[in-house]
Amino acid sequence: MKFFTAFRKEWLELVRTKRMLIALVVLVLFGMTSPLLAKMTPKIMTLVPGGEQFAGMIPEPTINDAIAQYVKNIAQFGILLALLFGMGSVASEKDKGTAAMILSKPMPRFTFLAAKLAAYALLFLIAILIAGAACYYYTYVLFGPLDILQFAGMNGLILIYLLVYVALTVCFSTLTRTQYIAIGMGFGALILFGIISAIPGWGVYTPDLLIANAGLIGSGKAAENWEGLWISLGLIGLSTLGAWLVFRQQEI
């Protein structure tokens, strides 16, 4: 019962602070425009002075180009939202004293953290569902039908990918009272995974593999391996556990 009370408080805060609206606008916008951009790229090139000679070198856009554009855009801007939303999730409440007030109800500290993660998970789930529907519609109109199960699986991997950075940033936000340090640590984790992914043979052990597999599945191909999925789920679990173990020892 306390979880649903905490979850309702977190969800209302996401709505009132316009975070829900921002996530919907940003991700749905790129969901709509990704297939359009893929389709119009050769024509856009002809509008650039001297671009006519390059436009002829660009292959005719395909449905795979639309999918690749969608995966790239949703992943990039979704990560930015995950880091920005998560950076003050705990740190700002500790700084303002609202965490102490809520926990004095009493509210179990694990419930306090779990409600935040659940609210963010629902936010990104809804945003990706609507963005995916917009992408599917415009891709269908411009290129043709997609396999709905493959498309759903692709979006599921993108969602897990974003939740990795939500969990990490919430964990970092728990470690400090300054939200800017939390987002700095979140970007540091993003850069670290990028460096590891660039090392031959190591990329399969980072969350970045989820995006690679999402592109493959969305294009109708089989995923190469699933190590990155298990690593990502493990990171979400360890981040949540670590945040709780630290938070339960803190004086609020």
Side-chain angles (χ1 to χ4, degrees):
M1 194 68 179
K2 290 182 179 180
F3 172 81
F4 292 107
T5 301
F7 176 82
R8 182 175 181 275
K9 173 260 180 188
E10 295 298 332
W11 183 255
L12 290 176
E13 185 175 341
L14 292 178
V15 174
R16 289 170 180 168
T17 57
K18 303 295 190 296
R19 294 181 186 181
M20 182 67 192
L21 178 61
I22 292 170
L24 285 174
V25 169
V26 172
L27 296 185
V28 174
L29 176 64
F30 283 103
M32 294 171 55
T33 58
S34 292
L36 291 171
L37 183 59
K39 185 72 173 180
M40 299 301 294
T41 296
K43 295 181 180 179
I44 294 174
M45 288 296 299
T46 62
L47 301 177
V48 179
E52 295 85 355
Q53 55 183 331
F54 297 103
M57 301 171 60
I58 300 177
E60 184 68 22
T62 67
I63 195 169
N64 288 342
D65 295 315
I67 292 298
Q69 192 73 41
Y70 171 77
V71 171
K72 181 183 71 173
N73 288 339
I74 297 298
Q76 289 179 348
F77 289 93
I79 280 183
L80 182 59
L81 292 175
L83 295 177
L84 289 173
F85 290 171
M87 68 178 186
S89 56
V90 180
S92 62
E93 293 206 30
K94 290 191 294 184
D95 184 53
K96 296 175 182 176
T98 54
M101 181 180 66
I102 294 170
L103 293 172
S104 66
K105 295 300 181 182
M107 174 70 69
R109 298 198 179 197
F110 182 80
T111 301
F112 179 82
L113 293 173
K116 290 183 178 295
L117 292 171
Y120 283 121
L122 180 60
L123 181 151
F124 281 105
L125 173 62
I126 293 173
I128 288 179
L129 280 174
I130 300 176
C135 175
Y136 189 94
Y137 173 76
Y138 281 98
T139 302
Y140 178 84
V141 171
L142 296 173
F143 296 97
L146 289 164
D147 185 293
I148 189 66
L149 293 179
Q150 292 175 348
F151 190 74
M154 176 189 76
N155 281 281
L157 291 179
I158 295 174
L159 176 61
I160 295 173
Y161 180 70
L162 298 183
L163 292 182
V164 170
Y165 290 96
V166 169
L168 285 172
T169 310
V170 170
C171 180
F172 297 147
S173 183
T174 305
L175 300 178
T176 178
R177 288 184 178 272
T178 306
Q179 57 183 339
Y180 302 108
I181 295 178
I183 194 173
M185 296 172 72
F187 274 112
L190 178 62
I191 294 171
L192 176 62
F193 290 141
I195 293 173
I196 295 175
S197 295
I199 301 175
W202 285 71
V204 296
Y205 302 110
T206 70
D208 291 352
L209 183 66
L210 292 179
I211 297 304
N213 282 344
L216 290 173
I217 292 173
S219 300
K221 302 175 183 176
E224 296 178 355
N225 52 65
W226 293 102
E227 283 90 342
L229 174 61
W230 311 126
I231 293 293
S232 297
L233 294 175
L235 284 171
I236 294 173
L238 288 175
S239 297
T240 304
L241 177 61
W244 173 63
L245 291 175
V246 171
F247 193 50
R248 68 199 293 254
Q249 300 296 330
Q250 290 178 341
E251 293 290 337
I252 305 299

